[in-house]
Amino acid sequence: MTFATPSWLTVNTLAALKRRRKGWLKVHLWLGLGLGLFLSIIGISGAVLVFASELDHALNPDLYKVHSPHGAGIKSLDELTKIGMNVAPRGWESGGVSLPRNADENYVFSYWVSEPTPAPEDGVSINIAVDPYTGEVVGRRVFYHAYNPLKHCFIGFFYKLHYSMLLDVKQFGSAGVVLVGLIGVLLIISALTGLILWWPLDGKWRRVLGIKRRASTVRFNHDLHQSLGFYSLLVLLAVLVSGIYFNLPDQFKWLVERFSPLTVESAYVTHTAAAVTDTNTIDGLLASAEKDYPGGRLSYLTLPDPNTHRLTACYEDVPSLKLRVVDSRCLLIDSYAGHVLQVTDAASGTAGDTFMYWQWPLHSGQAFGWAGRILVMLSGLACPVLFVTGVIRWLHKRKAKKVMAARMSS
């Protein structure tokens, strides 16, 4: 596939563009060499986390699998929540609960503390599994360890590695999270400069869209780096942009608000005694909310916050959202009055709200089901290949320059 050089591209213009490309090549080179290892770690860990739920269930069957007979009915969420809170260490904040995907799974509660706890807990985040039929606590584990990254659970280790390079501990505070966010910004620049270098000024598209047959090792490495970078670019950019949001949320929101307003939640809700009704049980709150927002499977629930008196209920497979590509919805509920304060889904809010809502589905690949998840996984695995082929390309050029210099001097 070859196209004629555009008529506007004069000899002088082409020469100027080539000079600029030398500058972009230096930017791309040094960003790649300096951040390529970080990109590889982020990419590989991200590829693992695409299937975090499936891996966690497979590696921890005792935590998730119900072993009791199913003769009795499932206990209410209020009962199960009280059981979990009674077992959790005193002073720990209630986080949320992962709801079973089927009748053979336990309810898994999450709890955390802001300060490291004394032995034997040694964790800043723990999971407690409760059998929904018997109410028995059947499993317990440390998700995030207070100090030792090697004592995180398997999935917890990869989460910390992915978004903070394992630096998200008390000694470093949020330094690791900010570092990875800034790396994401620089990697976007690296990806865009790669696109500039890939673009064929001579109109010979076939040369840049594939790998030459029977190519030498040097040419094969060059074509692999170039083609892989181009075909993974869109997915990588989506993942990098959304990753910046998760690591630098305040700065990201500020930028989005320059283009579209975001729905702002009030910090607290004021209540009177008269406002408290018999719907202030978790089951009652959900039943009331589901009258106005029916459909879907409850997949995750954050337990009522003692300060703001709120809980968040997230649903999957909402029928009314099937045509929106992403069919999940989260409801922010006033746990005293029983009102839905905010709806977060692909059909609600401003353009800015919709853009923010899409960040997680794009980052995880869930926006397009299995196809999206596989694409995100492959883009993650492409990262170390891009780094290695980029380093080899750089070494090849260095060697060629040395040979040329030797010939010139002889």
Side-chain angles (χ1 to χ4, degrees):
M1 185 187 299
T2 303
F3 298 101
T5 303
S7 58
W8 58 267
L9 196 58
T10 63
V11 174
N12 291 335
T13 303
L14 182 60
L17 288 174
K18 288 183 176 180
R19 284 195 299 270
R20 289 177 189 172
R21 286 178 68 152
K22 288 183 179 179
W24 290 123
L25 177 60
K26 290 181 180 179
V27 174
H28 186 73
L29 171 64
W30 294 114
L31 284 177
L33 292 177
L35 302 177
L37 181 59
F38 292 104
L39 175 65
S40 301
I41 294 172
I42 293 171
I44 293 171
S45 57
V48 172
L49 292 174
V50 167
F51 301 100
S53 178
E54 289 83 357
L55 286 170
D56 203 28
H57 280 70
L59 294 172
N60 301 279
D62 293 337
L63 188 72
Y64 290 99
K65 188 74 173 176
V66 167
H67 296 291
S68 64
H70 300 170
I74 294 178
K75 294 184 178 296
S76 70
L77 263 171
D78 292 280
E79 291 179 283
L80 296 172
T81 299
K82 288 178 182 177
I83 293 169
M85 293 184 71
N86 288 336
V87 176
R90 286 191 176 184
W92 282 53
E93 299 172 13
S94 58
V97 54
S98 295
L99 281 297
R101 297 175 300 182
N102 54 61
D104 295 323
E105 291 184 0
N106 297 314
Y107 283 59
V108 180
F109 291 83
S110 300
Y111 300 88
W112 64 77
V113 288
S114 56
E115 295 293 332
T117 56
E121 280 298 334
D122 290 329
V124 292
S125 177
I126 62 171
N127 295 137
I128 293 174
V130 180
D131 187 312
Y133 300 98
T134 65
E136 179 185 1
V137 175
V138 294
R140 182 181 184 135
R141 71 168 176 191
V142 171
F143 193 82
Y144 291 139
H145 193 269
Y147 300 106
N148 188 349
L150 298 179
K151 291 186 178 181
H152 297 325
C153 72
F154 179 82
I155 293 300
F157 174 86
F158 276 94
Y159 270 120
K160 290 285 188 180
L161 181 64
H162 185 67
Y163 78 81
S164 70
M165 292 291 161
L166 301 178
L167 297 177
D168 188 21
V169 294
K170 186 176 181 181
Q171 296 94 321
F172 298 99
S174 60
V177 178
V178 174
L179 174 64
V180 172
L182 295 176
I183 288 173
V185 174
L186 295 175
L187 287 174
I188 288 178
I189 297 173
S190 177
L192 293 177
T193 55
L195 178 62
I196 293 172
L197 297 172
W198 168 88
W199 197 273
L201 296 178
D202 56 7
K204 296 179 179 178
W205 293 90
R206 181 179 295 178
R207 176 175 54 82
V208 298
L209 290 173
I211 298 174
K212 184 180 179 181
R213 294 182 180 180
R214 303 186 188 88
S216 65
T217 303
V218 174
R219 178 60 186 268
F220 175 81
N221 181 82
H222 169 269
D223 288 353
L224 178 61
H225 182 81
Q226 186 172 252
S227 300
L228 190 60
F230 171 71
Y231 289 116
S232 62
L233 180 65
L234 281 179
V235 179
L236 278 176
L237 284 176
V239 171
L240 288 170
V241 169
S242 54
I244 293 171
Y245 164 50
F246 297 121
N247 283 61
L248 303 172
D250 293 337
Q251 294 82 356
F252 193 92
K253 289 177 182 178
W254 177 88
L255 183 59
V256 172
E257 285 183 317
R258 305 287 70 81
F259 301 93
S260 173
L262 298 176
T263 302
V264 180
E265 303 170 8
S266 56
Y268 295 94
V269 180
T270 303
H271 302 279
T272 63
V276 182
T277 68
D278 59 356
T279 63
N280 63 350
T281 63
I282 294 176
D283 294 283
L285 290 167
L286 295 178
S288 178
E290 289 168 3
K291 291 179 182 178
D292 296 322
Y293 302 96
R297 178 184 68 84
L298 183 63
S299 60
Y300 190 79
L301 180 72
T302 62
L303 303 179
D305 187 296
N307 296 317
T308 62
H309 309 295
R310 297 169 168 188
L311 62 85
T312 301
C314 293
Y315 297 80
E316 295 179 352
D317 304 322
V318 180
S320 61
L321 297 174
K322 287 294 184 183
L323 297 178
R324 299 280 181 168
V325 181
V326 183
D327 57 3
S328 60
R329 169 188 288 149
C330 289
L331 304 176
L332 182 68
I333 304 171
D334 178 342
S335 63
Y336 270 7
H339 301 314
V340 174
L341 301 174
Q342 187 176 19
V343 180
T344 305
D345 61 30
S348 304
T350 65
D353 290 330
T354 302
F355 178 75
M356 299 293 285
Y357 171 77
W358 271 85
Q359 297 312 303
W360 172 248
L362 287 174
H363 194 78
S364 62
Q366 293 178 6
F368 300 99
W370 278 98
R373 296 173 73 186
I374 291 171
L375 281 175
V376 171
M377 179 197 69
L378 292 176
S379 72
L381 296 177
C383 293
V385 180
L386 288 170
F387 174 50
V388 171
T389 54
V391 171
I392 293 174
R393 176 66 177 159
W394 173 62
L395 292 174
H396 283 158
K397 285 189 172 183
R398 285 190 64 188
K399 183 178 180 181
K401 286 181 179 179
K402 288 182 179 178
V403 171
M404 182 64 70
R407 288 177 179 175
M408 293 290 289
S409 60
S410 60

